[in-house]
């Protein structure tokens, strides 16, 4: 067993020497094979006679002008290029080219866990770029934790982002999310729990999360209702643009059912005028019947699912409150120690554990709210990603 480390080092050295000689050649051959396979694949789009050839392909609208100019210069106007109308039965074959602003593009990492969106449907990336940092910041909501997350993400972005696009995008997401946590931490007056308040530097500007649990629950449910309703509206508009009138109508009825139920829920305890109750009840009943006619038994089931989705946003409050309590415990445990150094070590260790949880748990919960509660209302997968023909 004592010889194993030396043997392993010798094997690693041999592998390294082989790699230094052959790695480039193997990668070159692999890419040449990939190019050849692509050339064979595009033959299905081409035809030829003795005097002419024809080839079909897909290109983004924005790139069509540059392609036409390039082909014209290469072949001295001996080639004729024109666009073809897309038949209805070909819509499923259209590849999807996802193009977002450079500030939004890093959030495309969230699409890696999903199949490519179908052509003509909605790219959810801009919505994720808005809501994920907000949800993450609302859960963490601590200036100290947010600053550490931002600094670590910025370091990882600069250290590993140049070689790996995925790491660069993921780190960028957490830079933005860390900044969001700092903003919410300032509003809630939190810096490593109540450490900032103990020092007299911070005070809650909006609310104290420990003392305002009912307000936070109401806020989380209101956010959930708005998020779910937005998802339904996006789905309705998407179907209407593609003239899927039955699906658009079903989404419209689904929306009316959810909104009328929420109005009833607010009117019954008197939060909004009770005079609206008969109207809301009538709309709810008519919408329920219409949805059952359009969607069958799935309609009422989807309605119950939507209500569950809205309630699920309470996790924004629950996970955030747990983080606050753990930060307070860390500070109190540190204050109870007889020795200042020992107290700082105890508090620091608990804060480190809470920081780790403040990265993992808010990320998981925020992603879940996007994938399950939000995307389920409009996202349509099954598309084919646009992959241009080129030498690699």
């Amino acid at each position: 067993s004592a010889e194993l480390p030396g043997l392993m080092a010798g094997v690693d050295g041999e592998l390294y020497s082989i790699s230094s000689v052959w790695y480039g050649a193997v990668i070159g051959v692999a890419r040449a094979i990939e190019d050849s396979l692509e050339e064979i694949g595009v033959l299905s789009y081409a035809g030829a006679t003795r005097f002419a050839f024809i080839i079909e392909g897909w290109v983004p609208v924005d790139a069509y002008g540059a392609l036409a100019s390039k082909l014209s210069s290469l072949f001295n106007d001996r080639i004729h290029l024109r666009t073809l109308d897309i038949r209805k039965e070909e819509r499923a074959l259209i590849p999807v080219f996802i193009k977002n602003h450079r500030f939004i593009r890093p959030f495309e990492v969230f699409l890696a866990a999903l199949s490519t969106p179908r052509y003509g449907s909605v790219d959810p990336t801009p919505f994720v770029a808005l809501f994920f940092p907000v949800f993450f910041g609302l859960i963490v909501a601590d200036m100290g934790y947010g600053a550490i997350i931002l600094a670590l993400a910025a370091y990882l972005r600069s250290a590993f982002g140049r070689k790996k696009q995925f790491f660069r995008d993921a780190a960028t997401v957490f830079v933005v999310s860390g900044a969001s946590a700092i903003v919410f931490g300032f509003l809630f007056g939190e810096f490593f729990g109540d450490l900032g308040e103990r020092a007299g530097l911070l005070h809650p500007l909006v609310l104290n999360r420990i003392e305002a649990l009912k307000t936070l629950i109401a806020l989380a449910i209101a956010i959930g209702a708005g998020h779910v309703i937005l998802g339904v509206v996006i789905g309705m508009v998407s179907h209407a643009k593609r003239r899927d009138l039955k699906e658009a109508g079903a989404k419209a009825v689904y929306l009316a059912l959810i909104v009328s139920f929420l109005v009833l829920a607010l009117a019954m305890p008197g939060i909004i005028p009770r005079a609206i109750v008969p109207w809301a009840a009538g709309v709810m009943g008519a919408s329920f019947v219409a949805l059952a006619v359009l969607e069958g038994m799935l309609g009422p089931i989807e309605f119950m699912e939507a209500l569950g989705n809205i309630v699920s946003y309470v996790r924004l409050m629950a996970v955030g409150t747990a983080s606050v309590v753990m930060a307070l415990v860390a500070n109190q445990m540190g204050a109870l120690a007889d020795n200042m150094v020992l107290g700082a070590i105890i508090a620091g260790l608990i804060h480190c554990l809470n920081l780790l949880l403040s990265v993992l748990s808010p990320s998981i919960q925020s992603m879940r709210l996007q994938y399950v509660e939000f995307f389920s209302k409009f996202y349509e997968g099954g598309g084919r990603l646009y992959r241009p023909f080129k030498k690699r």
Side-chain angles (χ1 to χ4, degrees):
S1 60
E3 296 178 356
L4 284 177
L7 293 174
M8 292 173 65
V11 171
D12 288 340
E14 291 180 15
L15 291 174
Y16 179 78
S17 63
I18 294 172
S19 173
S20 63
V21 174
W22 293 104
Y23 178 80
V26 171
I27 291 297
V29 170
R31 289 178 178 171
I33 293 173
E34 186 179 358
D35 287 342
S36 298
L37 289 174
E38 285 215 8
E39 289 177 13
I40 294 171
V42 299
L43 292 178
S44 60
Y45 293 95
T49 68
R50 289 180 59 191
F51 304 105
F53 73 90
I54 183 172
I55 185 168
E56 289 183 349
W58 303 96
V59 65
V61 174
D62 294 343
Y64 177 78
L67 176 66
S69 176
K70 185 69 174 178
L71 291 176
S72 177
S73 64
L74 286 174
F75 294 96
N76 298 320
D77 296 323
R78 289 180 294 154
I79 189 168
H80 177 64
L81 186 68
R82 71 185 183 94
T83 58
L84 301 176
D85 293 331
I86 299 171
R87 298 190 296 270
K88 187 176 182 180
E89 59 271 19
E90 292 178 321
R91 289 187 65 85
L93 302 175
I94 303 175
V96 176
F97 178 59
I98 299 175
K99 182 180 180 181
N100 286 299
H101 192 277
R102 63 189 182 93
F103 293 119
I104 295 175
R105 197 197 58 74
F107 289 86
E108 291 177 9
V109 294
F110 289 97
L111 298 184
L114 304 170
S115 62
T116 304
R118 188 179 302 173
Y119 179 80
S121 65
V122 178
D123 172 21
T125 306
F127 301 102
V128 177
L130 172 63
F131 290 112
F132 181 86
V134 171
F135 292 165
F136 185 94
L138 190 59
I139 294 174
V140 178
D142 188 289
M143 294 185 69
Y145 294 155
I148 293 176
I149 292 170
L150 189 154
L152 285 174
Y155 168 75
L156 293 174
R157 185 178 186 272
S158 63
F160 303 101
R162 295 178 183 178
K163 295 182 179 180
K164 297 289 185 179
Q165 185 66 43
F166 177 82
F167 286 119
R168 182 179 179 84
D169 291 343
T172 302
V173 169
F174 280 103
V175 166
V176 178
S177 300
S180 175
I182 293 173
V183 172
F184 279 105
F186 178 74
L187 294 176
F188 294 157
E190 295 180 23
F191 180 83
F192 294 111
D194 62 347
L195 199 60
E197 192 170 0
R198 289 188 180 199
L201 301 175
L202 276 178
H203 297 284
L205 297 180
V206 178
L207 51 83
N208 186 312
R209 287 202 286 177
I210 294 296
E211 299 175 357
L213 294 180
K214 291 183 179 180
T215 303
L216 283 174
I217 292 174
L219 176 63
I221 292 177
I223 291 173
H227 205 216
V228 169
I229 288 173
L230 176 62
V232 177
V233 170
I234 293 170
M236 180 181 68
V237 173
S238 176
H239 285 295
K241 284 184 175 180
R242 288 176 287 162
R243 301 187 182 278
D244 298 333
L245 299 183
K246 181 181 177 182
E247 293 293 334
K251 289 288 185 183
V253 173
Y254 186 39
L255 177 63
L257 182 58
I258 295 173
V259 172
S260 59
F261 175 84
L262 293 175
V263 169
L264 276 175
L266 293 173
M268 295 300 290
I271 298 176
I272 61 176
R274 288 174 176 262
I276 203 170
V277 169
W279 296 95
V283 172
M284 183 177 174
S287 301
F288 192 89
V289 173
L291 189 62
V293 171
L294 290 171
E295 297 287 309
M297 288 303 298
L298 289 177
I301 293 174
E302 288 182 358
F303 169 64
M304 298 303 296
E305 181 185 13
L307 298 184
N309 292 155
I310 292 173
V311 175
S312 183
Y313 283 76
V314 173
R315 69 186 66 240
L316 292 173
M317 178 278 300
V319 178
T321 303
S323 178
V324 177
V325 171
M326 194 165 181
L328 294 178
V329 168
N331 295 335
Q332 291 174 1
M333 291 286 288
L336 291 175
D338 294 332
N339 187 289
M340 183 179 296
V341 175
L342 179 61
I345 292 174
I346 293 173
L349 290 174
I350 300 176
H351 276 303
C352 287
L353 175 59
N354 197 25
L355 176 63
L356 177 62
L357 296 176
S358 294
V359 174
L360 295 177
S361 193
S363 300
I364 293 170
Q365 300 304 332
S366 299
M367 289 170 63
R368 185 194 184 282
L369 292 175
Q370 305 292 330
Y371 289 143
V372 179
E373 275 72 20
F374 187 54
F375 286 5
S376 62
K377 303 298 177 288
F378 66 89
Y379 190 84
E380 300 175 56
R384 182 165 65 96
L385 191 64
Y386 175 68
R387 191 169 181 264
F389 176 68
K390 63 179 181 180
K391 279 193 174 294
R392 306 190 185 280

